[in-house]
Amino acid sequence: RPPRGPTAMPKTETGINHVPMLGGIASAKAVKLSEINSKCEFALRSLTDNYPDTERLTFDQQKAEAAAYQANNTASCPMLTTLAQARGITIEDLAVRVLEKAAAFSKASGALIGTRQKFEDTLDGCTSIQAVESIFVDYAL
């Protein structure tokens, strides 16, 4: 006979997804948190939508090489050297551009992530379904 009470396993949906079924305020909070997170993810992705996925994979390397170059202009910067040559600009100019874009991304993503965390804090403090549903989730820079 299965255990009952607080030690019992939560009921689950039938089928492939075995997601605990939530009711009342817990359900409302789960739905709202999903909205908070998905809208934040959309806003964050919009910051880099103009770049191909494979180029985005090089951002950390570009930033590291740009910082290394600015600290020591004899530092090895294979990625930046090749990019600068292909673009017909100096590595000095490219290093400045890379670091400016990285700083702008950090500022914008920090604002979006901070807003997401504020929504989550507000959600955590909700004690009624009405309070949860009154949270208007919007991300703007």
Side-chain angles (χ1 to χ4, degrees), residues 1 17 33 36 54 62 82 87 89 96 102 126 132:
R1 181 170 163 185
N17 267 340
L33 183 59
I36 288 167
T54 50
Q62 289 184 47
T82 304
R87 291 177 68 174
I89 62 175
V96 168
C126 290
V132 170

Side-chain angles (χ1 to χ4, degrees), residues 2 8 25 36 69-70 79 81 95 97 104 111-112 117 120 127 129:
I25 192 165
I36 288 167
Y69 183 84
Q70 285 198 331
M79 168 80 60
T81 300
R97 291 180 190 195
L112 293 170
Q117 292 171 349
E120 188 174 10
T127 58
I129 294 173

Side-chain angles (χ1 to χ4, degrees), residues 104-128:
F105 176 80
S106 291
K107 184 177 179 180
S109 62
L112 293 170
I113 292 167
T115 300
R116 191 206 69 76
Q117 292 171 349
K118 182 179 178 182
F119 284 134
E120 188 174 10
D121 290 344
T122 301
L123 181 63
D124 287 344
C126 290
T127 58
S128 70

Side-chain angles (χ1 to χ4, degrees), residues 54-141:
T54 50
E55 184 175 348
R56 283 192 292 260
L57 295 174
T58 71
F59 286 176
D60 288 339
Q61 181 180 353
Q62 289 184 47
K63 183 179 172 185
E65 287 186 17
Y69 183 84
Q70 285 198 331
N72 174 5
N73 67 1
T74 63
S76 175
C77 302
M79 168 80 60
L80 289 190
T81 300
T82 304
L83 288 172
Q85 288 172 349
R87 291 177 68 174
I89 62 175
T90 66
I91 191 169
E92 295 89 356
D93 186 34
L94 182 57
V96 168
R97 291 180 190 195
V98 166
L99 292 175
E100 285 174 349
K101 284 185 177 186
F105 176 80
S106 291
K107 184 177 179 180
S109 62
L112 293 170
I113 292 167
T115 300
R116 191 206 69 76
Q117 292 171 349
K118 182 179 178 182
F119 284 134
E120 188 174 10
D121 290 344
T122 301
L123 181 63
D124 287 344
C126 290
T127 58
S128 70
I129 294 173
Q130 183 180 7
V132 170
E133 291 174 349
S134 73
I135 298 172
F136 177 72
V137 181
D138 185 37
Y139 292 92
L141 293 173

